[in-house]
C-alpha cells in the first residue's frame, strides 16, 4: 500500500528525506474517485520520477453555490487500491481544515483566462483551482506535475500560473483518456443513468462530426460549432449545451479552423455537467 498522509507536516518530513537522497518527485493532483484517466497521469509520473505523490482532495473553493461539492463521489479505500496497483509511493489526503484552517485568507486570482469558457459558467472556479494547486505545489515541491488535457482550460491556466509566479515545477500534459465508446473518463460519469449514457456519447460523436466536416474542406468555425451543437441537442437527455467553442491552442477563439486548434464543449446531461475537448487533426 502507498504511504497515506493526512497532515502537511508529515508529508513534508517524508519528502524532505527523499529529496536529501537526491530523489525526483512526480506529483498528480486529483479530487479522487480515480479512474483510467487518472491512471494514465500516474503511470507517466511513475515512469519519469523516483517518488510518486498523488493528492486526493475535493477542493471546496473551486465549487460554486449549487454545484456538486456535497455529492461529488468519494472512495478513499478504492483509490488507495488503485494507487497501490500503479506503484504510487505516497497518497496525500488532507481534510478541509488541514488545507483551509480557520483564518485562511489568500486566494490566487488568474485573470482573463479564468473568465471565459468554463469560467463564464463557473465564476471563481479557476481562482479556486489555482489557489489549491499553488498550495499543493508548495506542500509537495515536485519536480514534475501531471495534468490531463481533459481539463484543457485548467491545464493552460496552471501553465500560466506557474510561469507568472515562477513556480519551479515542470507541468507535463497528458492527452484525454476515453472509454471504449468515446466518452472521456470522468469521476462525474457516475452521475449518468444508463439511459443517459448514449446522450453523453454525443459529445465524442460531435467531435467526429467536426473532424469529418473539416476533412471535407469546411473551415468556418461558426458552421462547425452550429452543426455540433445541433447534433448534441438532438439527443434526448441533453438538458443544455453550455458552449461549443473552437480556439487555438492558447484558448483564443478562431474564425477559421486549422490543424492543432481545440474544440471545447460543455454539456449538461441528466444530472451531470460534462466537459470535453478535441485537438483538430485534419
Ligand atoms: P480530477 O480528479 O477530475 O480533478 O482530475 C485530476 C487530474 O486528472 C486532472 O489533471 C484531470 O485533467 C485529469 N483527468 C481527469 N480525467 C481525465 C481523462 N479522461 N483523461 C486525461 N486526464 C484526465
Amino acid at each position: 500500500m502507498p504511504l497515506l498522509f493526512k497532515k502537511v507536516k508529515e508529508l513534508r518530513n517524508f519528502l524532505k528525506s527523499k529529496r536529501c537522497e537526491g530523489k525526483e518527485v512526480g506529483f498528480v493532483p486529483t479530487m479522487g474517485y480515480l479512474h483510467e484517466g487518472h491512471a494514465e497521469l500516474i503511470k507517466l509520473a511513475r515512469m519519469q520520477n523516483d517518488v510518486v505523490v498523488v493528492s486526493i482532495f475535493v477542493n471546496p473553493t473551486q465549487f460554486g453555490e449549487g454545484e456538486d461539492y456535497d455529492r461529488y463521489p468519494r472512495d478513499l479505500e478504492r483509490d488507495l487500491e488503485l494507487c497501490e496497483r500503479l506503484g504510487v509511493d505516497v497518497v496525500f489526503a488532507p481534510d478541509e481544515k488541514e488545507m483551509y484552517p480557520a483564518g485562511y485568507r489568500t486566494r490566487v486570482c488568474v485573470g482573463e483566462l479564468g473568465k471565459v469558457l468554463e469560467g463564464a459558467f463557473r465564476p471563481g472556479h479557476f481562482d479556486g483551482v489555482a489557489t489549491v494547486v499553488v498550495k499543493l505545489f508548495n506542500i509537495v515541491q515536485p519536480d514534475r506535475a501531471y495534468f490531463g488535457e481533459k481539463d484543457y482550460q485548467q491545464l493552460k491556466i496552471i501553465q500560466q500560473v506557474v510561469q507568472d509566479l515562477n513556480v519551479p515545477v515542470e507541468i507535463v500534459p497528458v492527452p484525454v483518456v476515453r472509454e471504449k465508446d468515446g466518452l472521456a473518463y470522468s469521476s462525474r460519469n457516475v452521475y449518468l443513468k444508463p439511459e443517459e449514457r448514449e446522450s453523453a456519447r454525443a459529445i465524442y460523436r460531435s467531435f467526429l462530426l467536426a473532424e469529418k466536416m473539416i476533412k471535407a474542406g469546411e473551415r468556418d468555425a461558426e458552421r462547425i460549432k452550429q452543426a455540433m451543437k445541433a447534433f448534441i441537442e438532438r439527443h434526448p437527455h441533453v438538458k443544455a449545451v453550455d458552449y461549443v467553442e473552437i480556439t487555438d491552442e492558447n484558448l483564443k477563439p478562431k474564425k477559421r479552423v486549422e490543424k492543432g486548434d481545440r474544440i471545447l464543449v460543455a454539456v449538461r446531461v441528466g444530472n451531470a455537467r460534462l466537459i470535453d475537448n478535441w485537438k483538430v487533426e485534419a
Side-chain angles (χ1 to χ4, degrees), residues 28-32 34-38 40-41 62 72 146-151 154 174-178 184-188:
V28 183
T30 82
M31 299 207 296
L34 303 179
H35 50 65
E36 285 305 310
H38 298 114
E40 264 335 279
L41 274 63
Q62 70 188 68
Y72 195 87
Y146 297 78
F147 286 85
E149 289 186 354
K150 158 77 167 50
D151 302 278
Q154 169 175 282
V174 177
V176 183
V177 183
R178 299 181 181 284
Y185 278 103
S186 164
S187 309
R188 289 188 167 100

Side-chain angles (χ1 to χ4, degrees), residues 80-135:
L80 285 170
E81 278 165 29
L82 180 69
C83 285
E84 179 177 29
R85 269 191 279 133
L86 295 168
V88 171
D89 300 294
V90 175
V91 170
F92 178 52
D95 66 14
E96 200 180 320
K97 277 222 297 288
E98 185 67 6
M99 291 299 278
Y100 300 107
Y104 185 90
R105 292 273 182 277
T106 309
R107 203 166 154 88
V108 177
C109 182
V110 300
E112 286 315 301
L113 217 45
K115 296 199 172 72
V116 296
L117 299 161
E118 276 302 278
F121 287 86
R122 305 185 68 188
H125 168 66
F126 287 114
D127 291 352
V129 170
T131 301
V132 81
V133 169
V134 169
K135 281 171 68 67

Side-chain angles (χ1 to χ4, degrees), residues 9-282:
K9 217 171 172 178
E10 290 166 6
L11 175 69
R12 277 221 170 113
N13 281 338
F14 173 81
L15 290 174
K16 199 169 167 188
S17 70
K18 291 293 163 191
R19 247 179 258 109
C20 281
E21 295 167 20
K23 306 267 200 240
E24 290 192 329
V25 176
F27 177 43
V28 183
T30 82
M31 299 207 296
Y33 213 71
L34 303 179
H35 50 65
E36 285 305 310
H38 298 114
E40 264 335 279
L41 274 63
I42 295 171
K43 282 184 211 161
L44 191 58
R46 182 67 284 168
M47 278 162 59
Q48 297 181 338
N49 302 275
D50 303 306
V51 178
V52 174
V53 180
V54 172
S55 67
I56 295 176
F57 180 60
V58 184
N59 173 38
T61 67
Q62 70 188 68
F63 287 80
E65 217 150 290
E67 290 187 356
D68 57 345
Y69 176 71
D70 289 330
R71 67 186 178 114
Y72 195 87
R74 294 158 167 92
D75 190 342
L76 185 59
E77 279 312 307
R78 202 175 126 248
D79 289 347
L80 285 170
E81 278 165 29
L82 180 69
C83 285
E84 179 177 29
R85 269 191 279 133
L86 295 168
V88 171
D89 300 294
V90 175
V91 170
F92 178 52
D95 66 14
E96 200 180 320
K97 277 222 297 288
E98 185 67 6
M99 291 299 278
Y100 300 107
Y104 185 90
R105 292 273 182 277
T106 309
R107 203 166 154 88
V108 177
C109 182
V110 300
E112 286 315 301
L113 217 45
K115 296 199 172 72
V116 296
L117 299 161
E118 276 302 278
F121 287 86
R122 305 185 68 188
H125 168 66
F126 287 114
D127 291 352
V129 170
T131 301
V132 81
V133 169
V134 169
K135 281 171 68 67
L136 290 166
F137 283 171
N138 284 331
I139 293 165
V140 177
Q141 295 177 35
D143 294 277
R144 296 178 195 83
Y146 297 78
F147 286 85
E149 289 186 354
K150 158 77 167 50
D151 302 278
Y152 190 73
Q153 189 176 7
Q154 169 175 282
L155 165 68
K156 298 314 278 186
I157 286 172
I158 296 303
Q159 286 173 332
Q160 183 80 47
V161 166
V162 161
Q163 187 183 319
D164 290 349
L165 301 183
N166 305 91
V167 185
V169 61
E170 180 192 339
I171 302 300
V172 183
V174 177
V176 183
V177 183
R178 299 181 181 284
E179 302 207 32
K180 273 200 204 76
D181 66 1
L183 181 66
Y185 278 103
S186 164
S187 309
R188 289 188 167 100
N189 290 352
V190 293
Y191 300 152
L192 293 169
K193 299 197 183 86
E195 65 271 22
E196 292 165 351
R197 176 90 194 190
E198 186 55 28
S199 294
R201 239 193 110 215
I203 300 171
Y204 172 68
R205 293 177 61 212
S206 78
F207 293 142
L208 300 184
L209 169 69
E211 237 357 282
K212 206 168 115 194
M213 289 176 75
I214 297 164
K215 276 204 184 88
E218 181 62 82
R219 295 279 153 178
D220 185 84
E222 206 50 50
R223 278 205 289 267
I224 297 166
K225 288 191 286 187
Q226 285 306 331
M228 289 178 66
K229 188 162 181 281
F231 174 80
I232 296 169
E233 281 172 347
R234 274 211 300 277
H235 291 74
H237 302 284
V238 170
K239 288 203 175 130
V241 177
D242 280 353
Y243 58 83
V244 176
E245 191 51 87
I246 304 182
T247 72
D248 68 8
E249 61 175 345
N250 295 315
L251 297 177
K252 198 166 158 280
K254 294 287 297 274
K255 285 204 162 73
R256 292 191 65 75
V257 182
E258 290 168 284
K259 187 179 168 138
D261 286 345
R262 283 277 160 178
I263 309 178
L264 302 110
V265 171
V267 178
R268 282 182 275 153
V269 181
N271 285 323
R273 187 172 178 283
L274 305 172
I275 62 168
D276 199 348
N277 70 90
W278 182 264
K279 187 175 179 175
V280 174
E281 288 165 359

